[in-house]
Amino acid sequence: MADDAVPASGTVHWVGAGLSTGSGLAKLCDTAARVRLWHRTEERAEGALAALGLTGRAEPRAYTPAALAAELAPGDVVVSMLPAPEHAPLLGACIAARAHFACSSYVSDAVRDLAPAAGAAGVTVLTEAGLDPGIDHLFAHGLIARATAAIGPDTAASYTLTSYCGGVPAVPNDFRYRFSWAPAGVLNALRAPARYIEDGTETTAERPWRATRPHVVDGETFEAYPNRDSVPFVAQYGLPPAWEPRTFVRGTLRLAGWLAAWAPVFAELERDDDRRIAELARELAARHPMAEADRDRVVLAVTLDVDAASGDRWSGRCLLDLTGTAEESAMARCVSRPLALGVTHILDGSLPPGLLRAAETAERSGRWLTELERDGVEFTVRVRN
């Protein structure tokens, strides 16, 4: 543990119990000294604990920012399952109380702005520790480390790295999708431009679905499109400067036929009418919900191909393909398990203060993947020299 880190108290506050809260919470009930589940009301928190088989193993609480702040003590760990815009205020409360913070979301500008104060207070801020972002980072760091060892960091080379993730119905429906998270979030993500590298050139898709391409994963054809801004991850992943990217894209997987099935949705998105899109989100949620009998499927495929100027070639593939069960959705497992793993490392003092992402080194990635596999998050790695 870093000398200036606030020692963990052993108490974990899990804030929010939505669709991504799963067996990771149960793991923390086994490892933390005390767990509190904060939800909209105490009754809803009790119901969520009962549904997860955790009645009596965690304390239900009615969440308000003031109520949580009143119970925070130095060294506590706050796990935010709230929408991303609510992370920064929650982190502010953690800094004031000298409590640690963890979430599965991308680092927002507001969270990044608070990071120096968190580090100065001895507070660990763990982010991007879910599925995507999260396990995708672990896969990428692991592949890059193997490729670097094989090719050499100073060898001139070009590479293609693709990282695609999708939550899809285990049994395809006509819509080729069921909503396992907030429909408004799904629609608004499609409205955000996507920047990536293709044929060695930075490219922007103003409407990401227009860049949809077939993508074969383990013999199965999906449809894939870029999302967000992939370009900063070239630096975040620490790819050797001597290697030039041919293609570098992080994006979303959908079932084959998704582009055609969603054509009416895209027509609505093209209009950029916020009120209509909010209305559409409610309509789609009612038409295509993830019902209790439905099973979801999570597919995460990360590939790296490196061609050295010397003629040497290296290829690696990481694939996670999980189907949900009656006890737990695949999405809940894949988001909550790595998040809980990160929290256990805050509890054991192995993560330093300041801003961290799920994996920032090959060594940590390898260790976390081993631990996740032991915890039941199965995946395959294939390497070809």
Side-chain angles (χ1 to χ4, degrees), residues 247-300:
T247 298
F248 188 99
V249 58
R250 301 176 75 257
T252 299
L253 276 182
R254 293 289 180 248
L255 294 174
W258 170 82
L259 194 64
W262 276 55
V265 176
F266 301 143
E268 296 276 15
L269 295 180
E270 292 278 14
R271 295 165 51 194
D272 280 327
D273 181 334
D274 291 343
R275 181 176 297 180
R276 172 56 190 145
I277 289 169
E279 183 180 79
L280 178 63
R282 292 189 291 271
E283 293 172 4
L284 293 175
R287 271 188 255 156
H288 307 285
M290 186 68 73
E292 187 175 342
D294 294 322
R295 299 290 171 260
D296 70 328
R297 178 188 179 195
V298 167
V299 181
L300 168 61

Side-chain angles (χ1 to χ4, degrees), residues 189-197 202-211 225-231 248-252:
L190 284 166
R191 300 172 71 191
R195 189 166 70 119
Y196 55 102
I197 298 172
E202 288 188 13
T203 303
T204 299
E206 293 297 331
R207 302 294 189 178
W209 68 83
R210 295 178 187 163
Y225 61 90
N227 62 23
R228 294 181 174 264
D229 188 352
S230 298
V231 176
F248 188 99
V249 58
R250 301 176 75 257
T252 299

